Amino acid sequence: MLKIRAALTAVAVACSTVLAVTAGANPAVAGPPALQGGVVLPIDDVADMAVDPVHKRVVLTSTTNGDLHWVSYFGGVQSTTSWLRPGVTGLAFSPDYSTLYVATAWGEILAFDAATRAGKGSWYVGGSLRPLSVAVAGGKLWFGYSTGDGTSAGGFGTLDTATGKVTLHDATVDGISFHGAPELSTPAGDPDTLVVADESDVAETSGNVAVYDVSSGVGVVKGKGRFSDGLLRGVAASADGSSLIGFGTGCPIWKAPSTNPAKRTPAFNNGICRPSAVSVNTDGRVAFGYRNADGTSDIAISPAGSELPAEQFVAPNNDEITHVAWEPGGDRLFALSRTTKPGYTDLTFWPINGSKPVYPTITLDAPATGALGVDLEITGTISVPGAHVELFESSAAAPKPFPVDSAAADAQGRFTLTRKPYLGGTTTYTVFSPGNDTYAPVSASATVEIARNPTSLALSHNNTIYAYGTTVTVLAHLGSTYSNRSVQFWADPYGTEPARLLRWTNVDAKGNLTASLKLTRTTAIQVKFLGDGRNAPASARSVINTRAAVALQPSRQYKAAKIGTVPYRFYRANVHPYFLTTITPYPGRKQRLTLETYTGGTWKVWRVLDLPLNAKGQSAFTLTGTHPVGAKYRVRAGYLTTTSGDSVNYTNYSPYYYFTFTK
């Protein structure tokens, strides 16, 4: 059994890293402090962020997946409403925080009970309208919409949640228009003012902003303005609604009177560029987020009545801040940051200021091994009796952790979680408790080896023998697998050369794949299957023996003729035959030259010579001495594996050459 104990300060399914940050060349001068207590969220993207101070939660929308995530004040995802379609965007709470309103791109506005998180209403606002932002102001629910008719037009209106009646506001009579859905917001301390802003990057309308008095239930223009493209990418009203605070794509943050938004002046000049988000608290404090990746501040907080930052923070890993939001009437500020990684993006939740959490502990008991399709039981304890715990699973085949079970701990903090694995290999099981406004989220993990199914893999041509220079095609056959159908062919020629990859691709419909190579050495061919979620890795090996190329060239004969049916070379008795041998070169290689004589009716070995080859693979031999007239001889050259100095080729001989001597 594996026993793991964890007491974490910044925990989620994947834990974030907190870095110390310094500024300037003098290490004794400290820069802004690093953000603390970050939690990496199991979320792909966030469109909007809203804080519920009554139920102590932060709600996030995920546009891509169409999810609502209900997150604790310290970053734990308490629950997810995941039955929605992609296109969930804007959020707004009713003034008493009993209801959460959600805008969707499919033409519907949804309502949820903020306490129970259950759905409590839905309204279609029109066949071609796509509500993307919502706000509650003047006692009514307002929404910003784009049209689905191809014109890219947009506007805003109200929804009567009692009757479902939709009333669209004709902004053109106010002398203003919007591209797509404008962003709607209300001042933190002025619920009768509505700010409508085009934060898009479309040159025709980008930068249009209007401020309305909606106390009568009908929008009456208090002020309007037009900014050039790039000067309005985010805007918020001051707490009392008297001014607007905004930013564009450049460095400056600006401030303008609500009655004349175009009369902007530089503001909050804190020397930090690339603003990305702004939030104003009910007491007038202003928080900014930045998209910096250079070690400068990522969060700046200015007190009420001041444009200078009283607090600054740096996010680790060059994270970009995407959202900031105050707890209405409280001290807590929440931020989201983004880190782009190969193939995916990490989103980290940061609780800033406010009370410090209590850090729970988790102890786990998990088996070391498991099997596909067989219940795996993980038990443990958490130091918070009755706490909700979830079990997440991740592996090489499915690296993104996903929930597989949940339970409530008993009065002693004990819990049991089960999972029937459907993927094998080294699998990480993480038990996670999201916490609340008192307890921080906590997790602990155990690694379990889930046995995978054996894989059938075969390879042709084992222990075959081929001539030097032959091109051979080998065949691999892969049996049934779960998802991976690719195999690798590796060629490892005997000798000091490393193995090389010949081919790596999918097998055909019958499970077959071939690879070809030209043989110069005896070569081990290995085919590899790297495994998948249910099938174990496998390999098969074949050795293809490759003969050395051996050639023998006699010379100095004066004629060639047959004796009987056998071709002979004829030498004068006073001439010494010369034999040149050529064999595939290899360092330290020798040839074996064998001379035989015919006597007593049989061929008998006369002389055996092991002669070194030069760098070209050649060696020469001259047969000296007295040569008896009429004696019959034969000679051949050979490479003998191991005996000839190495074993990188297979034994091979030249043909016999027959010769005799005459006067």
Side-chain angles (χ1 to χ4, degrees):
M1 302 290 279
L2 300 178
K3 292 190 175 183
I4 302 177
R5 184 176 179 84
L8 307 176
T9 60
V11 192
V13 174
C15 297
S16 61
T17 302
V18 179
L19 302 179
V21 178
T22 60
N26 183 357
V29 179
L35 289 172
Q36 301 287 326
V39 176
V40 177
L41 299 171
I43 298 171
D44 293 326
D45 66 277
V46 171
D48 202 4
M49 178 181 187
V51 182
D52 178 358
V54 173
H55 304 100
K56 308 297 183 183
R57 296 193 193 104
V58 180
V59 185
L60 308 173
T61 55
S62 177
T63 302
T64 301
N65 297 325
D67 295 338
L68 276 180
H69 302 279
W70 310 76
V71 181
S72 77
Y73 267 8
F74 297 110
V77 178
Q78 295 175 329
S79 66
T80 297
T81 304
S82 57
W83 49 265
L84 307 176
R85 291 182 287 171
V88 175
T89 53
L91 297 171
F93 280 103
S94 62
D96 62 358
Y97 293 94
S98 64
T99 303
L100 174 69
Y101 297 103
V102 183
T104 73
W106 61 83
E108 193 174 11
I109 294 177
L110 309 175
F112 292 85
D113 187 302
T116 66
R117 292 163 283 194
K120 61 187 295 187
S122 63
W123 304 268
Y124 281 98
V125 298
S128 64
L129 303 185
R130 304 290 183 264
L132 299 179
S133 59
V134 283
V136 177
K140 286 193 173 184
L141 177 63
W142 297 80
F143 64 93
Y145 66 86
S146 64
T147 59
D149 57 6
T151 65
S152 298
F156 65 101
T158 61
L159 167 69
D160 187 330
T161 58
T163 64
K165 181 181 178 181
V166 172
T167 303
L168 301 183
H169 183 90
D170 185 3
T172 60
V173 301
D174 306 324
I176 198 165
S177 60
F178 303 99
H179 172 86
E183 291 294 326
L184 306 185
S185 61
T186 58
D190 182 5
D192 291 329
T193 294
L194 180 69
V195 180
V196 184
D198 188 331
E199 299 176 5
S200 70
D201 56 2
V202 176
E204 290 80 5
T205 61
S206 174
N208 283 346
V209 60
V211 181
Y212 290 88
D213 180 348
V214 294
S215 58
S216 65
V218 177
V220 177
V221 177
K222 294 170 63 175
K224 62 181 180 179
R226 170 81 171 97
F227 297 102
S228 60
D229 183 36
L231 286 176
L232 183 63
R233 291 293 183 267
V235 65
S238 61
D240 61 3
S242 64
S243 60
L244 300 180
I245 303 165
F247 57 85
T249 56
C251 291
I253 295 170
W254 50 260
K255 194 171 182 179
S258 295
T259 55
N260 189 3
K263 191 178 180 181
R264 63 181 180 87
T265 57
F268 298 93
N269 187 11
N270 49 30
I272 312 171
C273 285
R274 296 170 58 83
S276 57
V278 58
S279 180
V280 181
N281 204 347
T282 52
D283 62 4
R285 283 176 292 175
V286 182
F288 294 98
Y290 297 88
R291 302 188 305 275
N292 292 318
D294 58 2
T296 56
S297 296
D298 297 296
I299 298 286
I301 302 172
S302 297
S306 173
E307 295 183 3
L308 296 177
E311 293 181 282
Q312 296 184 63
F313 300 92
V314 174
N317 306 319
N318 291 327
D319 280 15
E320 298 179 354
I321 300 298
T322 61
H323 296 76
V324 290
W326 286 103
E327 177 190 34
D331 291 328
R332 303 175 193 266
L333 176 68
F334 304 99
L336 295 178
S337 71
R338 175 177 60 201
T339 302
T340 301
K341 298 184 177 181
Y344 68 100
T345 298
D346 265 349
L347 295 177
T348 304
F349 179 94
W350 300 98
I352 303 170
N353 297 336
S355 62
K356 299 299 181 184
V358 176
Y359 297 108
T361 58
I362 291 180
T363 300
L364 290 187
D365 283 326
T369 60
L372 291 172
V374 178
D375 279 341
L376 182 75
E377 188 174 273
I378 295 175
T379 61
T381 60
I382 184 170
S383 58
V384 184
H388 177 78
V389 293
E390 293 181 83
L391 181 65
F392 287 80
E393 180 183 83
S394 62
S395 64
K400 188 174 180 64
F402 61 97
V404 295
D405 195 19
S406 63
D410 64 16
Q412 285 73 46
R414 297 173 300 195
F415 57 83
T416 299
L417 299 159
T418 59
R419 168 63 169 167
K420 187 174 290 185
Y422 80 98
L423 295 176
T426 302
T427 304
T428 299
Y429 289 97
T430 300
V431 175
F432 172 70
S433 182
N436 50 32
D437 61 318
T438 301
Y439 291 98
V442 63
S443 71
S445 298
T447 299
V448 181
E449 194 65 33
I450 306 299
R452 288 180 281 184
N453 298 322
T455 305
S456 171
L457 184 62
L459 182 64
S460 67
H461 288 74
N462 188 33
N463 285 328
T464 51
I465 304 171
Y466 287 90
Y468 178 91
T470 303
T471 297
V472 174
T473 299
V474 292
L475 171 69
H477 178 77
L478 178 66
S480 61
T481 59
Y482 169 61
S483 60
N484 182 13
R485 297 298 292 163
S486 68
V487 296
Q488 300 177 351
F489 282 97
W490 289 85
D492 187 6
Y494 279 24
T496 59
E497 295 178 11
R500 68 184 188 276
L501 180 65
L502 290 178
R503 196 177 186 192
W504 186 2
T505 190
N506 287 340
V507 298
D508 64 19
K510 295 181 179 180
N512 296 326
L513 186 67
T514 60
S516 299
L517 75 158
K518 187 175 182 178
L519 299 172
T520 59
R521 310 255 186 89
T522 293
T523 302
I525 303 295
Q526 188 174 38
V527 60
K528 297 180 181 180
F529 169 71
L530 300 184
D532 58 27
R534 295 183 185 175
N535 287 84
S539 64
R541 186 174 183 267
S542 291
V543 174
I544 302 177
N545 297 287
T546 304
R547 298 185 189 276
V550 181
L552 176 63
Q553 181 60 52
S555 62
R556 297 179 181 173
Q557 68 272 15
Y558 72 92
K559 74 171 184 177
K562 289 184 178 181
I563 298 177
T565 59
V566 179
Y568 272 79
R569 284 168 169 77
F570 289 80
Y571 293 86
R572 300 295 183 184
N574 61 349
V575 174
H576 299 315
Y578 182 84
F579 303 102
L580 178 64
T581 300
T582 303
I583 297 178
T584 307
Y586 192 79
R589 179 168 284 185
K590 298 176 290 185
Q591 68 144 325
R592 172 161 287 188
L593 191 69
T594 303
L595 294 100
E596 299 179 5
T597 183
Y598 192 77
T599 179
T602 61
W603 289 101
K604 295 181 180 179
V605 175
W606 174 43
R607 296 181 68 178
V608 176
L609 305 167
D610 289 318
L611 305 173
L613 302 171
N614 63 19
K616 295 181 179 180
Q618 295 179 328
S619 75
F621 173 73
T622 301
L623 181 59
T624 60
T626 302
H627 307 307
V629 174
K632 295 178 181 179
Y633 298 92
R634 68 180 183 181
V635 61
R636 71 173 178 177
Y639 164 85
L640 284 69
T641 183
T642 305
T643 301
S644 290
D646 61 78
S647 58
V648 303
N649 283 105
Y650 194 77
T651 297
N652 195 21
Y653 296 93
S654 72
Y656 276 109
Y657 289 93
Y658 295 80
F659 63 97
T660 188
F661 294 92
T662 63
K663 290 182 179 180

